[in-house]
């Protein structure tokens, strides 16, 4: 016969096992809460402060006509903040828990119709449809993605929290105002049209060398080569000086058109040779 005491001990042991089981079951159902510094595929998760995101989108002059992407989108905040401004967007994130959390936060913010998230590798993502990028990643990751950035439509805006894109001079850098502790510096890069090469400009040859949005080169007319000064692109808009003449214009694929002022004036056009 089992004594009353042994039975009571057995029952207590059973309840301890049940309690442990329930506690661990409840724990496994606990909502996922990301912790800053949490490891990710190629970098840890550190969120961009909301004040910095607002500054990034102010600098990018974000409108509802844009399509925003974030690569390594964490808890989805860059895409959700853009969606709250009316802009559709897509976040690409490797960690499925963060993707699920992003979808939940987008639903809570009432922007699920604009803010979408997929699990994927930031380096494999197709960014060709994006007109604005809102990024926070390490310099070597930005460097690795630079060829993809330069293949975006001219005039696309890349906004970056903290780290700049190696080798690419920013079009502007500003600090977030208001509530922002760390990671409050925002950089803007405007994707330049690709113009490197030789162009036929009137009776002359315009040879351009391009480093991101900066241009050097020569304008050769009648055998006389004049160096290009102050050469710069702002998306598809081009400006340079040759001698005493200032050229401004617009690049459209393999042709450029614009106006001259200074020693020569009027309109100019060029086509790629
Ligand atoms: C510094 S956090 C930035 C989060 C978010 N963009 C923001 O600004 O708040 C970097 C994020 O990239 C994710 N990540 C790391 N390597 C990745 C990869 N190869 N592909 C996609 N996501 C990645 C991490 O899980 C983390 O969420």
């Amino acid at each position: 016969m089992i004594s009353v005491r042994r039975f009571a001990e057995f029952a207590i042991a059973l309840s301890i096992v049940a309690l442990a089981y329930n506690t661990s079951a409840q724990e496994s159902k606990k909502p996922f809460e990301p912790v800053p510094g949490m490891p990710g595929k190629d970098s840890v998760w550190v969120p961009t402060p909301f004040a910095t995101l607002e500054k990034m989108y102010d600098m990018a002059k974000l409108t509802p006509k844009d399509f925003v992407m974030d690569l390594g989108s964490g808890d989805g905040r860059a895409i959700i903040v853009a969606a709250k401004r009316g802009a559709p967007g897509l976040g690409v994130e490797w960690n499925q828990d963060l993707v699920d959390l992003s979808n939940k936060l987008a639903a809570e913010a009432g922007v699920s119709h604009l803010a979408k998230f997929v699990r994927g590798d930031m380096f494999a993502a197709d960014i060709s449809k994006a007109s604005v990028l809102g990024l926070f990643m390490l310099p070597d990751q930005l460097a690795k993605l630079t060829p993809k950035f330069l293949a975006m439509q001219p005039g696309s805006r890349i906004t970056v929290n903290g780290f700049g894109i190696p080798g690419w001079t920013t079009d502007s850098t500003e600090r977030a105002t208001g509530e922002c502790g760390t990671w409050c510096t925002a950089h803007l890069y405007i994707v330049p049209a690709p113009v490197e090469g030789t162009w036929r400009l009137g009776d002359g040859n315009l040879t351009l060398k391009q480093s991101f949005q900066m241009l050097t080169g020569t304008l050769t007319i009648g055998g006389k080569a004049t160096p290009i000064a102050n050469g710069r692109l702002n998306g598809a808009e081009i400006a340079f000086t040759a001698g005493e003449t200032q050229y401004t214009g617009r690049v459209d694929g393999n042709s450029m058109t614009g106006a001259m002022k200074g020693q020569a004036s009027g309109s100019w056009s060029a086509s790629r040779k």
Side-chain angles (χ1 to χ4, degrees):
M1 266 280 275
I2 302 176
S3 73
V4 173
R5 190 166 164 213
R6 294 256 342 251
F7 182 81
E9 281 170 356
F10 184 60
I12 289 168
L14 265 185
S15 13
I16 289 170
V17 170
L19 184 68
Y21 176 81
N22 279 340
T23 309
S24 85
Q26 271 167 15
E27 262 171 17
S28 67
K29 278 189 202 148
K30 234 169 77 178
F32 166 71
E33 270 180 42
V35 180
M38 186 181 81
K41 185 173 184 292
D42 295 305
S43 60
V44 297
W45 175 68
V46 177
T48 295
F50 288 104
T52 307
L53 286 171
E54 298 293 357
K55 174 58 78 181
M56 285 159 67
Y57 292 144
D58 286 347
M59 291 164 74
K61 298 188 172 67
L62 183 75
T63 79
K65 288 190 179 146
D66 282 306
F67 181 68
V68 184
M69 283 185 74
D70 182 9
L71 304 176
S73 47
D75 65 0
R77 59 183 61 203
I79 297 302
I80 293 170
V81 168
K84 285 183 177 168
R85 291 190 180 206
L90 178 69
V92 180
E93 168 60 51
W94 187 258
N95 180 331
Q96 185 64 51
D97 286 329
L98 285 170
V99 173
D100 294 342
L101 178 62
S102 302
N103 282 320
K104 178 172 163 269
L105 294 174
E108 283 170 9
V111 293
S112 296
H113 58 300
L114 292 173
K116 306 287 179 195
F117 300 94
V118 288
R119 177 173 183 262
D121 189 328
M122 58 165 86
F123 299 110
D126 176 4
I127 59 170
S128 62
K129 302 253 167 5
S131 57
V132 170
L133 298 180
L135 306 175
F136 182 21
M137 59 174 70
L138 297 167
D140 63 314
Q141 297 172 331
L142 290 165
K144 199 169 159 186
L145 285 162
T146 297
K148 278 195 177 189
F149 296 156
L150 291 171
M152 293 170 77
Q153 281 300 310
S156 299
R157 290 92 78 213
I158 303 169
T159 56
V160 187
N161 165 18
F163 302 111
I165 304 177
W168 190 339
T169 306
T170 59
D171 285 281
S172 60
T173 294
E174 291 184 31
R175 253 191 94 71
T177 45
E179 236 175 77
C180 193
T182 49
W183 300 112
C184 304
T185 304
H187 306 290
L188 172 72
Y189 301 86
I190 298 171
V191 175
V195 296
E196 174 139 331
T198 303
W199 300 72
R200 185 86 193 150
L201 194 161
D203 295 332
N205 280 334
L206 174 67
T207 301
L208 294 174
K209 191 155 172 46
Q210 179 169 7
S211 173
F212 298 98
Q213 71 275 57
M214 305 302 190
L215 299 174
T216 51
T218 49
L219 177 60
T220 307
I221 300 175
K224 185 175 176 257
T226 307
I228 295 300
N230 310 316
R232 196 169 173 133
L233 287 151
N234 183 345
E237 282 161 33
I238 188 166
F240 60 92
T241 302
E244 301 297 317
T245 305
Q246 291 100 49
Y247 294 77
T248 53
R250 204 173 165 77
V251 185
D252 183 7
N254 289 329
S255 63
M256 304 191 230
T257 48
M260 297 176 284
K261 65 175 191 186
Q263 197 176 45
S265 59
S267 60
W268 64 278
S269 65
S271 53
R272 199 181 270 284
K273 282 185 86 174

